[in-house]
Structure formats: structure tokens, C-alpha cells
Amino acid sequence: AAAELAASQEASLYLVGGLVRDCLLDKTPKDADLVITANAIRFGQDLLQGTSYKTTLHHRFGNLSADINGFKLDITTARSEVYPAPGKLPEVGAGDIKADLFRRDFKINAMAISLSQQNSGCLVDPYDGLTDLKQGKLSVLHPKSFQDDPSRIWRALRYSERLGFDISAETLALLKRDMQLIPLIGADRLRYEIECVLEEAKPENIFLKAEETGVLRYSLPGVKADGWLVGKFAEARKIYGTCIPRVIYYCLLSARLNKLQAENLVTGLNPGKYITGCLGDYRYLAENLPELEKTGLRPSHLYKILVKCRKEARQSFYIASDNPLVRQNISLFEEELSNIKPHLKGADLIALGFTPGPAIQTILRELLFLKLDGQLTSRADEID
Ligand code: CTP
């Protein structure tokens, strides 16, 4: 249907980018990108007419995205791009498929498969991406690629790890030449790249590459990727499996930062309210470390320290801690103390003659603390 529709609009239609690469590598693609030499929004709307798939229009770049039962389809008009300055978004002009492929990051991502009726299935590979693919090599199309878009530096590290490809010597030299431009992409685009890294199977290996090349210093100042981080990321995955919340990784990345560096991490990535809150809780736990390292703490005291934090911050702190006493205290809270509740409820207190209001909360808290410390064992004790 897509090929017929494209023919009726006298346009050529192509599959491009990651899907072509992944199909040639026999891997399952994550999403599909189509390029058409016509108005992509009109083509997409005609193609999806009568379906209930959710679509989003991006008028600036003239493209349409659709969610096909969880699989993302992106349809773009073939275009050429000129970058006005490093890190800025490109200015877009008309272009054919060759120009469209030339605007892309790496040769392996600059191939297309024609879907047009006359040459359906033909590979379009003007920059010889297939050779790189066969040699397990990653290289940019031109020397200004990382200057045009410094976020591609993180993409290079990510693909290199995911596909097990080597970054070519020329591309590596360009990456090192241009990595100082990374801060120009701004917090939101950098966060997007870092979160793409965190979605990979072993993000720690990508951070190791970033450390080795120097990219990490220009992206997340103060963050260290080394054996410690590798061990902690792996331990976190053992606990959470593949559905690990990314906030855990964030906390582990921030674990060895000082206060100022941790604040800069938040400004540098602008990770949203919840993650920022967890990172704040993590710092609070770090400041309370001397207490958390003690044995025989009064349970109510331990409870008061830990109850203030989000669960993910506590769990990250547990993983990051190399001190068994800290781990023991956090486990005690998670497994026992956090489940303890007084027998009496607010309604019971009111029935006993207390006036409704904030005092009820205070009494319930005091009852809880006494119960945590073993001073109240029964409902009758609480009433007394
Ligand atoms: N692209 C680019 N420069 C970027 C981002 C994307 O040139 N900074 C191009 C690449 O050709 C890429 C395509 O846009 O293949 C689609 O981008 P994206 O969906 O991010 O990448 P995929 O290649 O689909 O890879 P992934 O498997 O990680 O989704």
C-alpha cells in the first residue's frame, strides 16, 4: 500500500537508517524510519488514514511519527541539512535520497532500501556503509560530522559497544578533536544521549569507553567510570533484572561526586523532578553516613533517617555502599521497620476522645516510634 501510494504521488520511498543496518546485521530493529521524496506529513496521513494509530506531526522538520502497537514509525521528507554552528539544530533544505543519507551520522546508518515499485528491495549505499558493516567498523561520513552534531560522539560510543564495532582510527581522532564541543548541545540533548546509553544492556561499558576517550570529562564532569562503577552497575542489574529503573544508574553515577559536582550533574542533565529528587535524597544519605555506619542504632532513629528518602535512593545507597553495616541498616529498614505500623488508627484516637487535627498525626508518629523501639507490644499498651 505504501509503495502504491508513493507511486501515486510520483515520489520515491525508502527505508533508511537503523532498520536497514539492523536488517543487514540480522538484528531486530527498534523502530522504522521511512524517507519519501514528497511531503512526508501528507504521505503519512494518507497512509495511516482510517487506522487508530497515534500520530505526531513535527512541522519544523516536516515529519510524522506514528506508534504502531508500540513500534515507532517515522516518516520524513528527503532533505539536506546545513548546520549553522556546532550543537545548533540544522537548517533544512530540499534534497534527494543521496543528500538525505549524507546528512547522517555514520556510514552504517547512511544506507537505504528502496520501497518504490520499480526497484523495490534495492540497497542504496552511496557512501559504502556495507563495507564498514562487514568489517565491523564505525566511521563518519565527513570530518565535520561531530562538529555539526556533537551528540553523535555519544552515539559512536553506544553503537561501538552495542554492535561490537571498532571506531575507525580517523573517526576516533575526529571524536577526540571535537569532544570539547559536547557542552554546546545543552542539557536536554545530552540527557537524551545519556539515557539512550542507560537503555543499553551494559551501559557501564559505554561509560568506560567515554572515560578512556575523555568524552566523560566533557559530558559529566567528576563522574568516574572504572572497575567500581562496572561492579555496581552489574550488581544493580542482578537485583532489578533488565527492568532496572534508570534512576538507580543515575544515583550510582553520582555516588562518588562531591556536593558541588552532584549539583552540576543535575544542572548539566536537567533530569526531571523525580530523578532530581532521588539524587537529592542520595546526597542526604551520604551526609548521614556516619550515623548509618553505626551498629545498634535505636530503630526509631534509623527509621527517622531513612523514611525521608525515596526507595530508589535508599536502594542505590545500599548498592553503592561497601560497608556491611550500612547495608545491614538499610535492609533492616526495608525488610522490617518500614512494615511496622501502630495498632491504633486516627479514628481509634478520635473514639478515645482526642480532638481531630494535626495532633492526631503527632500521636500516631510517637506511637510508631515507641513500637519500633519495642516499648509497645500490644494495642492495650498503645491505649495506655
Ligand atoms: N541520525 C543522525 N544523527 C543523529 C541522530 C540520528 O544522523 N544525531 C540519523 C541516523 O541515520 C540514524 C537515524 O537518524 O540511523 C535514526 O536515528 P535513531 O532512531 O536515533 O537511530 P537508529 O539508527 O534507529 O538507532 P537505534 O537502534 O539506537 O534506535
Side-chain angles (χ1 to χ4, degrees), residues 241-294:
T242 46
C243 303
I244 175 164
R246 63 168 77 110
V247 64
I248 302 284
Y249 285 144
Y250 265 102
C251 288
L252 293 175
L253 287 170
S254 82
R256 291 174 293 168
L257 299 180
N258 62 34
K259 193 166 182 282
L260 182 66
Q261 289 169 327
E263 281 165 11
N264 289 340
L265 183 77
V266 169
T267 332
L269 291 177
N270 190 19
K273 220 165 139 192
Y274 186 72
I275 291 178
T276 303
C278 282
L279 290 170
D281 288 353
Y282 192 97
R283 280 249 64 75
Y284 156 85
L285 288 172
E287 281 157 16
N288 278 281
L289 183 63
E291 286 300 288
L292 294 170
E293 282 175 335
K294 288 182 184 159

Side-chain angles (χ1 to χ4, degrees), residues 337-371:
L337 305 184
S338 63
N339 299 321
I340 294 177
K341 305 267 174 296
H343 286 101
L344 297 180
K345 305 255 177 300
D348 300 320
L349 293 179
I350 293 166
L352 285 168
F354 289 92
T355 321
I360 299 277
Q361 280 311 318
T362 314
I363 297 168
L364 287 173
R365 264 179 81 77
E366 287 308 319
L367 286 175
L368 172 64
F369 296 151
L370 290 167
K371 188 167 180 189

